[in-house]
Amino acid sequence: MSKVYTTQELIQILAAERQACLKGKRLKLEITVSGNPVIDQFIRTDGLQQFTAYQDFKTAIHEYQRENRVSGIIWREMTVKGKSLHYPEIDTELIALNGDLEILKAAKNSIVKFWCEVTVGMDLYLSFNNSKQHQKIVTSDVERIVQRTEWASLCKWENSSFLEMILQLGWGKPEEAYYKRGRPRSGSEYIHAVNPGNRPIG
């Protein structure tokens, strides 16, 4: 029986392949920009060829995940204001299997509870327009978004004088929600908490 790669091994394989593509060691040569051979001869396509080669490889890895039932979940640890949380999320280069989605859904309440505890007294913003704009909101707005979403994830920006806690509230497949490819069946909302007087940077 052949060895089945683990989640961590797949992450490492994808990272190595991404580097090889970025260095031009992998190209998908049949890529054209416009489809017009006269125009295409004047356009540099190596960046597109590198990107496409990596995307094809990533698609093959996702198929491997499905066939061998290799989870896309990685476990994170976050500590803020002396409170810690151990929680699951899907690696941004992998996909979520059905069982992974159940794990994410089961963890949603503890993630939201942790975020609420460490953001007491902070200003809340909802991001839109691909996080280029932010609208100030209140706790009841967050509660409404929590009710209509299925899973949650966290991100923090922190230094000695600044803290931003980002709560991602999503539905559907995380790999589609991250890049806004799957709307309306998959997607997410990002809620930013910052100290009073600050604006979100993430």
Side-chain angles (χ1 to χ4, degrees):
M1 188 170 127
S2 63
K3 171 191 186 314
V4 174
Y5 291 103
T6 66
T7 303
Q8 285 303 323
E9 287 169 331
L10 291 184
I11 291 168
Q12 290 167 357
I13 289 166
L14 279 164
E17 185 65 17
R18 186 170 52 248
Q19 284 304 311
C21 290
L22 288 172
K23 291 176 182 172
K25 294 179 180 174
R26 309 273 195 285
L27 297 174
K28 185 157 186 175
L29 297 177
E30 68 271 16
I31 294 297
T32 59
V33 177
S34 70
N36 182 324
V38 176
I39 294 172
D40 284 343
Q41 67 182 331
F42 298 107
I43 300 174
R44 289 180 52 92
T45 58
D46 32 350
L48 186 58
Q49 291 169 339
Q50 292 165 5
F51 175 79
T52 306
Y54 179 68
Q55 292 305 313
D56 288 353
F57 185 82
K58 192 160 78 165
T59 299
I61 292 290
H62 294 169
E63 194 52 44
Y64 179 89
Q65 273 187 265
R66 286 186 201 96
E67 287 173 7
N68 295 281
R69 307 205 42 76
V70 180
S71 171
I73 285 186
I74 51 175
W75 288 87
R76 299 270 190 218
E77 185 83 32
M78 184 175 288
T79 302
V80 181
K81 299 178 180 177
K83 297 179 187 293
S84 294
L85 179 70
H86 186 68
Y87 65 97
E89 71 178 28
I90 300 298
D91 183 83
T92 55
E93 299 297 309
L94 297 176
I95 61 168
L97 304 179
N98 289 338
D100 294 343
L101 288 172
E102 295 310 311
I103 291 169
L104 293 181
K105 289 174 184 177
K108 175 186 164 186
N109 288 342
S110 62
I111 292 171
V112 170
K113 181 174 181 277
F114 174 82
W115 183 86
C116 289
E117 287 173 357
V118 300
T119 60
V120 169
M122 297 175 82
D123 289 346
L124 307 178
Y125 290 87
L126 177 66
S127 69
F128 58 100
N129 193 15
N130 290 323
S131 293
K132 294 184 185 87
Q133 294 176 281
H134 300 89
Q135 178 182 337
K136 200 162 188 183
I137 60 173
V138 294
T139 307
S140 58
D141 297 319
V142 176
E143 290 166 359
R144 277 194 298 277
I145 296 169
V146 167
Q147 293 307 314
R148 36 175 232 257
T149 54
E150 299 174 324
W151 48 265
S153 191
L154 295 169
C155 179
K156 99 177 152 172
W157 300 96
E158 183 178 32
N159 63 35
S160 58
S161 60
F162 182 81
L163 173 64
E164 178 175 355
M165 289 293 302
I166 303 170
L167 176 65
Q168 179 189 15
L169 292 167
W171 64 93
K173 297 179 179 180
E175 65 270 16
E176 293 180 353
Y178 290 139
Y179 302 107
K180 303 194 182 298
R181 289 190 303 249
R183 283 189 183 257
R185 71 182 179 279
S186 297
S188 59
E189 301 290 354
Y190 292 87
I191 300 166
H192 305 249
V194 290
N195 288 321
N198 289 330
R199 296 280 299 176
I201 60 169

